[in-house]
Amino acid sequence: MKAAAFDVPVAIFAFNRPKLTRRVFDAVAEQRPKRLFLVADGPRPDCPEDNVPCDEVRKILMEVTWPCEVATNFSDRNLGCGRRMSSGIDWLFKHVDAAVLIEDDCLPAPPFFEFCSAMLSRFANDSRIGLVSGSNFTWRHFQPPASYYFSRYTHIWGWGTWRRSWAHYDFGLRSLSLAREHRLLEEVFDDPQLADFWYAIFGAVKSGRVDTWDYQLFYASVINSWLNVIPAVNLVTNIGIGPDATHTKSSTSIDSQAPGDLQFPLRHPDFITRCRTADEITEREAYGIRRGKDSSSSSQSADQRRPTARSFAQREFARVVSVMRTLAPSRRGG
């Protein structure tokens, strides 16, 4: 018996890794979405070896065998990680009000689709909610009492959002100088090291030293005080970590997680408010930030000072230059 067609539009973003694309496409095909948006980057001009795998990827994406409205946005030239993703999402939301977005190395478990559909419907008209994630990076340390919690962080290893949220996205972070002038991040974050940390990252992105698109999405979350929906268990596995990735070549504590068992019907939180406990775990596990209470110990001598905000920010910038994106899919060359 065929599964019922999935009502929410689905967008797949791909580049030059056909084996990964095949696995992700097959997972999407099982859901038989009624509307499918396909975005692909072009071969790099200095890498003729991209031509064949890029063509293979596009052929896989076009293997739609179920009743479906298909739209494509295939670039003839290589736009790179930042511009290909952001321009592709711009194009997507010219056509739809809400969508599920999946990159070519983010393998969604079946419950991911049902979860996104339920959340996109439930919060469609609630502008406090920015996006719906399929990833959970806190599962080893925290279990919420409900089926999901709310976070300031924007996990995008499989996610869903609305046109209304994407309208706040600014690839160039044009308001960052104004945010600094008004000490916005110092007001948002309760720890000065976090403000300094994110000023360093956003500054690197704005200057072009980091070619990415996802930190800009987090910036939108911060300046608009979004609450983002995070499932109680992980629903998406990043299958692209490895030596052929540009950004995430080695495993970390947050990738390659097997999907958990999310129970339906969902149990909704009693309150729509940010889960500070989970966010602090995300800061520690995903970004390596240790707050004062975490980094101090009874054996620490008086002259062993806790690392400063600037040292954390400098360390993260060094990591970002080499890894580029801890929390974004690892698209080789894209």
Side-chain angles (χ1 to χ4, degrees):
M1 181 179 178
K2 292 183 178 179
F6 187 62
D7 284 331
V8 181
V10 175
I12 303 177
F13 299 80
F15 177 40
N16 70 350
R17 293 190 287 181
K19 291 183 179 179
L20 300 185
T21 302
R22 164 60 65 191
R23 294 181 64 185
V24 172
F25 180 82
D26 287 348
V28 172
E30 289 181 1
Q31 303 300 314
R32 303 173 69 240
K34 293 180 179 180
R35 301 183 71 183
L36 187 61
F37 292 82
L38 305 172
V39 180
D41 206 357
R44 293 165 292 182
D46 57 342
C47 295
E49 64 270 22
D50 281 346
N51 292 326
V52 171
C54 282
D55 286 342
E56 290 179 1
V57 162
R58 297 178 186 206
K59 290 177 181 177
I60 291 170
L61 294 178
M62 295 305 297
E63 293 179 8
V64 179
T65 59
W66 65 94
C68 179
E69 177 186 335
V70 179
T72 61
N73 189 306
F74 294 164
S75 179
D76 294 330
R77 60 189 180 91
N78 185 267
L79 300 177
C81 290
R83 287 297 182 184
R84 176 65 290 197
M85 281 296 302
S86 60
S87 66
I89 302 174
D90 285 342
W91 167 76
L92 170 67
F93 284 113
K94 290 178 180 178
H95 299 279
V96 301
D97 292 324
V100 170
L101 300 87
I102 306 170
E103 294 192 56
D104 59 2
D105 54 4
C106 294
L107 184 63
F112 163 76
F113 296 93
E114 185 176 357
F115 177 71
C116 281
S117 177
M119 296 295 95
L120 290 172
S121 175
R122 182 177 182 86
F123 297 112
N125 299 313
D126 191 338
S127 60
R128 294 174 297 177
I129 311 304
L131 61 83
V132 179
S133 178
S135 300
N136 180 307
F137 300 141
T138 65
W139 63 276
R140 290 186 178 91
H141 311 280
F142 172 76
Q143 283 295 320
S147 299
Y148 56 93
Y149 67 88
F150 298 98
S151 170
R152 66 159 53 110
Y153 288 100
T154 51
H155 304 331
I156 44 75
W157 284 353
W159 57 298
T161 194
W162 304 268
R163 176 189 292 166
R164 62 165 172 80
S165 293
W166 188 251
H168 293 284
Y169 180 87
D170 177 18
F171 183 83
L173 299 180
R174 289 170 294 181
S175 67
L176 181 59
S177 297
L178 187 62
R180 282 184 178 274
E181 179 182 339
H182 290 280
R183 298 180 59 83
L184 178 65
L185 299 191
E186 289 86 344
E187 292 293 328
V188 170
F189 296 102
D190 61 350
D191 190 323
Q193 75 181 32
L194 279 174
D196 207 14
F197 177 101
W198 285 112
Y199 278 133
I201 301 307
F202 294 146
V205 172
K206 181 178 176 63
S207 69
R209 286 174 288 168
V210 174
D211 175 25
T212 191
W213 67 277
D214 56 311
Y215 283 130
Q216 294 94 317
L217 186 63
F218 177 56
Y219 181 78
S221 179
V222 170
I223 67 173
N224 291 287
S225 300
W226 283 352
L227 297 172
N228 304 302
V229 177
I230 310 294
V233 300
N234 188 53
L235 300 176
V236 180
T237 302
N238 190 308
I239 58 174
I241 308 299
D244 66 336
T246 293
H247 300 124
T248 42
K249 294 179 180 292
S250 58
S251 295
T252 70
S253 63
I254 63 173
D255 55 55
S256 302
Q257 300 180 60
D261 182 20
L262 187 66
Q263 298 295 315
F264 292 88
L266 298 174
R267 178 183 175 187
H268 303 287
D270 294 322
F271 304 101
I272 300 179
T273 186
R274 181 174 75 92
C275 182
R276 178 172 175 170
T277 297
D279 277 359
E280 289 187 1
I281 293 171
T282 294
E283 290 156 7
R284 184 180 72 236
E285 296 300 313
Y287 297 108
I289 297 176
R290 297 295 190 272
R291 292 170 177 262
K293 60 186 178 183
D294 296 325
S295 58
S296 60
S297 67
S298 58
S299 61
Q300 191 175 34
S301 65
D303 60 349
Q304 286 181 311
R305 298 178 58 194
R306 182 166 63 91
T308 65
R310 184 169 301 279
S311 71
F312 275 111
Q314 291 173 339
R315 182 187 66 185
E316 173 64 5
F317 175 65
R319 183 174 67 83
V320 168
V321 169
S322 61
V323 178
M324 298 291 286
R325 295 181 300 168
T326 298
L327 294 182
S330 48
R331 296 170 56 240
R332 178 179 180 268

